Amino acid sequence: NVEVISFSVNGISDLEPLNQCQNLSELYLRKNNIGSLNELFYLKNLPRLRVLWLSENPCCGPDPHRYRMTVLRNLPSLQKLDNQAVTEEELSQALLDGEEITAPPVRRSVGNGCPESAEPSAAESTTETESELLNFSLEETNKIREQLGMKPVPRDKFSSFSPRATDCSRKKRNNVLNAILLLTKELDAEGLEIVQQTVGRRLQAFRKKELQEE
């Protein structure tokens, strides 16, 4: 039931796991390791996908026109691609200039028979500064909060969510947080009051623990 996924700057190379997300409407994948536009094959059957950010991936190639036309030919329901509105003229032109994708990408295998990983090398990963990574996550988190009618998170309050800390527990926490923010819009007043009371009790417990440790 997930509707918005923000995975920018995450070393992602395979979109196959997304093909079951039938309610997905917005997908943010900037600055990953998506090497082939054939990965779009896994997004073609997502009926509600309207926003896709795919820029700054290897699959974009040296020809921005061919890239955009190919994406729009295969995902004609998009309303925004790379933060740029899609026009009717572009959709018509995409039928002529875009490449039709009819099969998933071919996965290369390494010696142990497992699909080859496309994780960036240490040299490549160090080219991203912590500030750049933080800006990506802060921008997209605040976009989600804006959709939910919430105030944006100030940059100084967002430091604890820096993508530089890429351990599993930190990623899990961020995923849970985004899921909670998205689900709150489904609750009525009674449900929100229950959430507020639960959060209040949890915060009191944390503060009590911190005082004991001090």
Side-chain angles (χ1 to χ4, degrees):
N1 291 319
V2 66
E3 296 179 7
V4 179
I5 294 178
S6 178
F7 278 162
S8 294
V9 199
N10 266 285
I12 292 170
S13 60
D14 178 5
L15 301 187
E16 185 173 5
L18 299 176
N19 66 359
Q20 301 297 319
C21 299
Q22 292 296 298
N23 287 322
L24 187 63
S25 62
E26 299 183 29
L27 179 59
Y28 302 91
L29 292 167
R30 293 177 293 172
K31 284 200 172 186
N32 279 289
N33 296 319
I34 301 167
S36 170
L37 286 176
N38 281 31
E39 294 288 343
L40 296 175
F41 178 82
Y42 299 117
L43 306 182
K44 294 181 70 171
N45 293 321
L46 302 182
R48 301 185 180 183
L49 187 62
R50 296 293 181 268
V51 176
L52 175 65
W53 281 22
L54 193 61
S55 61
E56 298 177 85
N57 275 278
C59 65
C60 298
D63 186 344
H65 176 75
R66 178 184 174 278
Y67 152 71
R68 189 171 176 87
M69 292 295 99
T70 295
V71 174
L72 295 181
R73 176 165 182 173
N74 290 278
L75 302 174
S77 296
L78 288 181
Q79 296 174 354
K80 254 188 179 182
L81 173 60
D82 298 337
N83 205 30
Q84 182 178 341
V86 176
T87 66
E88 291 294 332
E89 291 78 8
E90 282 185 308
L91 292 174
S92 299
Q93 191 65 36
L95 295 174
L96 301 174
D97 297 349
E99 178 183 342
E100 178 71 16
I101 294 171
T102 58
V106 177
R107 307 274 182 220
R108 292 180 296 171
S109 295
V110 292
N112 59 7
C114 297
E116 184 177 16
S117 170
E119 291 296 321
S121 67
E124 291 171 332
S125 63
T126 56
T127 61
E128 298 292 350
T129 66
E130 184 172 356
S131 176
E132 283 180 303
L133 297 176
L134 182 58
N135 283 337
F136 275 114
S137 291
L138 178 59
E139 176 185 344
E140 292 176 354
T141 296
N142 281 338
K143 185 179 188 303
I144 293 171
R145 293 175 67 90
E146 180 183 357
Q147 291 173 341
L148 299 175
M150 303 171 70
K151 292 182 179 179
V153 180
R155 182 180 175 85
D156 61 334
K157 300 292 185 182
F158 196 78
S159 59
S160 62
F161 294 97
S162 170
R164 192 175 184 85
T166 56
D167 57 280
C168 292
S169 61
R170 188 63 61 89
K171 286 185 177 180
K172 180 179 178 181
R173 183 188 65 178
N174 291 350
N175 291 338
V176 170
L177 177 61
N178 281 332
I180 291 171
L181 291 175
L182 290 171
L183 290 172
T184 53
K185 66 180 181 180
E186 304 294 333
L187 296 174
D188 56 13
E190 182 181 359
L192 288 171
E193 287 178 1
I194 293 173
V195 171
Q196 184 181 36
Q197 292 169 6
T198 303
V199 171
R201 288 194 296 268
R202 290 279 290 167
L203 283 172
Q204 287 179 355
F206 276 120
R207 287 167 183 159
K208 183 177 180 180
K209 183 179 178 181
E210 289 174 353
L211 289 173
Q212 290 173 344
E213 291 175 349
E214 290 175 356

